[in-house]
Amino acid sequence: LAGGRARRMGGVEKAFVPLNGRSLIERVAERAAPQVSELLINMNEKPGHLLLPYEILPDLIGGFLGPLTGILSGLEWMKENRADARWLASFPCDTPFLPNDCVARLIARAQDTDSLVACAASGGRRHNVCAVWSAKIAETAHSILNERGYRKMDDFIDALPHIEAEFATDPIDPFFNVNTPEDLTKAETIAARYSLG
């Protein structure tokens, strides 16, 4: 998911902010791509520079309504274009240290509990955007965003059978996300200290 406005980063295209010489989105894609059969980028404005070699999927409903719009757009795209797919995995573009086994662990947790959604959790927090979403979810962007007026990820997830998968935070929280310039400085230190590219 790279469709936000990055207000806390001064309105820059957060996905393309460099972290020790490589953009955040490059780092996330490098960790996410081996975990899925296909990777798409949810983005609403085509960048004026070269993007990674993945299809861009804009929100089905405009207005920058938040990450829930990107999730629902992805689910609808998957159902229309990959009818045999069972799960949609989602990742935010600002979590450069994603675990390499994130998707496998989330799907296993969801299947073990017959859940439609499994979210990553760490340090006592649920990470709504680091999740897997079942193709059995019947709701659409229109039914959720327009008819029901949902905007918060928590509300949508809590209305579905869901589960969390806990990830360790030692030596680092793998879901550390870069929202501010200060976060970027901290991420640079983490990446250098633990040789994370």
Side-chain angles (χ1 to χ4, degrees):
L1 297 174
R5 286 180 163 169
R7 288 188 181 102
R8 286 180 285 179
M9 287 293 285
V12 300
E13 290 177 299
K14 188 198 290 189
F16 300 100
V17 167
L19 168 56
N20 292 352
R22 295 169 57 226
S23 69
L24 290 176
I25 199 167
E26 282 180 282
R27 290 173 173 273
V28 173
E30 182 179 89
R31 288 177 170 267
Q35 302 186 53
V36 296
S37 59
E38 190 169 4
L39 187 64
L40 291 86
I41 307 293
N42 170 239
M43 182 176 284
N44 292 303
E45 297 174 358
K46 278 203 170 185
H49 41 77
L50 184 65
L51 183 63
L52 297 170
Y54 303 110
E55 181 175 345
I56 294 178
L57 176 67
D59 289 343
L60 290 176
I61 296 177
F64 294 94
L65 300 180
L68 181 54
T69 316
I71 300 293
L72 293 165
S73 299
L75 276 170
E76 290 189 51
W77 182 93
M78 184 178 75
K79 290 174 188 177
E80 291 174 12
N81 296 279
R82 303 292 182 265
D84 58 339
R86 297 175 57 204
W87 296 97
L88 173 78
S90 61
F91 316 90
C93 72
D94 60 2
T95 52
F97 311 125
L98 281 172
N100 294 321
D101 62 348
C102 187
V103 173
R105 287 182 59 184
L106 290 172
I107 290 175
R109 191 85 170 102
Q111 290 176 332
D112 287 347
T113 57
D114 290 324
S115 297
L116 294 180
V117 182
C119 298
S122 64
R125 287 185 55 225
R126 183 172 82 183
H127 305 291
N128 293 334
V129 180
C130 293
V132 294
W133 311 82
S134 173
K136 295 177 183 175
I137 295 172
E139 287 81 1
T140 66
H142 177 72
S143 70
I144 289 297
L145 298 166
N146 289 342
E147 292 178 3
R148 295 196 202 175
Y150 279 30
R151 293 294 181 268
K152 294 183 179 179
M153 292 281 288
D154 282 318
D155 294 341
F156 181 56
I157 292 169
D158 290 343
L160 297 169
H162 64 279
I163 194 72
E164 296 177 14
E166 187 72 27
F167 289 78
T169 58
D170 185 22
I172 64 168
D173 186 340
F175 302 101
F176 176 85
N177 63 321
V178 179
N179 284 317
T180 66
E182 293 75 21
D183 292 338
L184 182 61
T185 299
K186 186 174 180 180
E188 288 170 345
T189 302
I190 292 170
R193 181 175 181 183
Y194 296 102
S195 301
L196 298 172

